[in-house]
Amino acid sequence: RGHGVFATVDAAVEAAGRAQRRIAAMSLEERGRAIAVIRRLCDENAEDWGRRELEETRIGRLDHKVEKLRIVKKVLGVEALQIQARSDASGLCVIERAPWGVVGMVLPATHSVPTMASNAINVIAAGNAAVFSPHPAAWRVAAHALQAMNRAIEKETGVPDAIATVAEPSLASVEAIFRHPGVALLCVTGGPAVVKAAMQSGKRVIAAGPGNPPVVVDETACPTAAAKAIVEGAAFDNNLLCIGEKEVFVVASKADAFVKAMREKGAVELDRRAIEKLTEAAFTFDGPGKGCGRAHVRKELVGKDAAVLAGAAGVRVPEGTPLLFG
């Protein structure tokens, strides 16, 4: 504990509230120095924090977890805050972005530290402080990174606990953050249940729930370029990103060339029997018959390498295969 990690939600919100009043009083230049600390630490610790996150969550790929931390430096901070001024015969109008206060934030297991760092940059830039609730499957690495960020921010700006969290977060601590009178705004990244709970809190909510983005390969597409982009996007961190491609619709005139290009880019095609076997391995169904009712994913296969999924389908593929398709 310490350096932003607290035993209770009340203590975390109280500390963040003290920090927020000081952050709101900072100039944009001063906030920018705090943000620079976060960007630098993510870059310097990308290998270590990426490895810690993979070891704790056991989902995704190490090289891609490292890459997600390295690109935190591209997240917009104070440079996105613009003051608008207008003067005419009716008078003068100045529009500035005012801070909310303490922002309650829920982190996913899929990208715990990158999400926290990116959100912290946005929050501090706008004059807020944050109380994070990491996913229980990824809270240790989040707390480790949060403490490092807080130590460096305090050294740079003199402000302690700019971002805060609770040790060993739980469903009860998430609900406490949602209901806490000291939390002004909620930002939630997670599954449908946690997003629904946030929406019922009575507070303003910015939420990012699960996504299943489709891709369309139409008559204008280059099959080779489309396959390259789809394999790179869908295979990134073993498809843990909600923005990652999940299914592809291809017009008939491009289908054969597209499938050929997918194979050339290293993706492996499964036949119908393998797809059925993988479906049986990856899902349970709550209906009365085989494959009937609502499907529930078996978490032990989430975020695993393509070779592991192929094994569950009864197929052997080369190690390093980026993607399966059917």
Side-chain angles (χ1 to χ4, degrees):
R1 289 184 174 84
H3 299 292
V5 179
F6 296 90
T8 66
V9 169
D10 284 340
V13 173
E14 184 179 337
R18 291 193 298 268
Q20 190 274 326
R21 290 187 286 274
R22 296 181 64 178
I23 294 169
M26 287 179 174
S27 66
L28 291 184
E29 181 182 0
E30 289 175 306
R31 295 180 200 167
R33 297 208 318 268
I35 288 166
V37 163
I38 297 173
R39 290 170 172 157
R40 174 177 58 80
L41 288 177
C42 285
D43 191 52
E44 291 177 352
N45 295 283
E47 297 278 351
D48 178 44
W49 292 355
R51 176 184 54 77
R52 287 172 181 264
E53 187 156 317
L54 180 61
E55 289 176 352
E56 186 174 357
T57 64
R58 300 186 181 279
I59 54 176
R61 284 178 47 172
L62 178 58
D63 54 342
H64 292 165
K65 294 198 180 300
V66 171
E67 187 175 345
K68 284 188 287 186
L69 285 160
R70 296 225 186 269
I71 61 172
V72 166
K73 56 180 171 286
K74 297 184 178 181
V75 175
L76 291 175
V78 294
E79 60 271 25
L81 297 176
Q82 296 180 344
I83 298 173
Q84 299 175 355
R86 181 181 82 234
S87 64
D88 54 29
S90 64
L92 174 68
C93 177
V94 178
I95 301 174
E96 293 184 281
R97 269 64 177 175
W100 281 87
V102 175
V103 183
M105 302 189 122
V106 176
L107 303 175
T110 47
H111 336 282
S112 186
V113 178
T115 304
M116 181 178 71
S118 301
N119 287 0
I121 288 171
N122 297 158
V123 162
I124 292 172
N128 303 290
V131 174
F132 289 103
S133 181
H135 192 283
W139 77 268
R140 288 179 177 83
V141 66
H144 175 81
L146 181 143
Q147 288 178 316
M149 293 176 192
N150 270 330
R151 283 193 293 265
I153 291 171
E154 183 175 5
K155 183 177 179 181
E156 181 66 31
T157 67
V159 178
D161 306 322
I163 51 179
T165 189
V166 291
E168 301 185 33
S170 62
L171 182 60
S173 65
V174 175
E175 292 175 348
I177 290 173
F178 287 172
R179 304 291 178 182
H180 201 288
V183 173
L185 173 71
L186 298 176
C187 294
V188 178
T189 307
V194 70
V195 170
K196 182 178 179 181
M199 292 294 190
Q200 295 174 339
S201 67
K203 300 182 189 295
R204 290 285 185 92
V205 179
I206 301 171
N212 288 295
V215 188
V216 178
V217 180
D218 65 11
E219 296 85 353
T220 69
C222 167
T224 301
K228 180 178 184 294
I230 289 166
V231 170
E232 289 178 353
F236 189 82
D237 209 21
N238 290 344
N239 203 245
L240 290 178
L241 281 76
C242 289
I243 60 169
E245 297 87 341
K246 300 293 188 293
E247 61 273 325
V248 186
F249 295 90
V250 190
V251 296
S253 63
K254 296 285 183 176
D256 290 342
F258 174 74
V259 169
K260 180 174 181 287
M262 288 285 284
R263 295 195 194 104
E264 290 172 349
K265 297 303 177 185
V268 173
E269 184 176 7
L270 301 181
D271 61 22
R272 182 177 298 276
R273 181 177 297 179
I275 291 171
E276 290 176 352
K277 189 170 182 180
L278 180 57
T279 302
E280 291 176 4
F283 297 96
T284 58
F285 295 87
D286 56 15
K290 181 180 179 182
C292 296
R294 184 176 177 84
H296 303 276
V297 68
R298 287 193 173 103
K299 293 184 178 180
E300 58 266 26
L301 288 180
V302 172
K304 299 303 182 184
D305 290 345
V308 175
L309 300 182
V315 178
R316 293 190 67 177
V317 301
E319 286 295 327
T321 295
L323 193 69
L324 308 176
F325 72 100

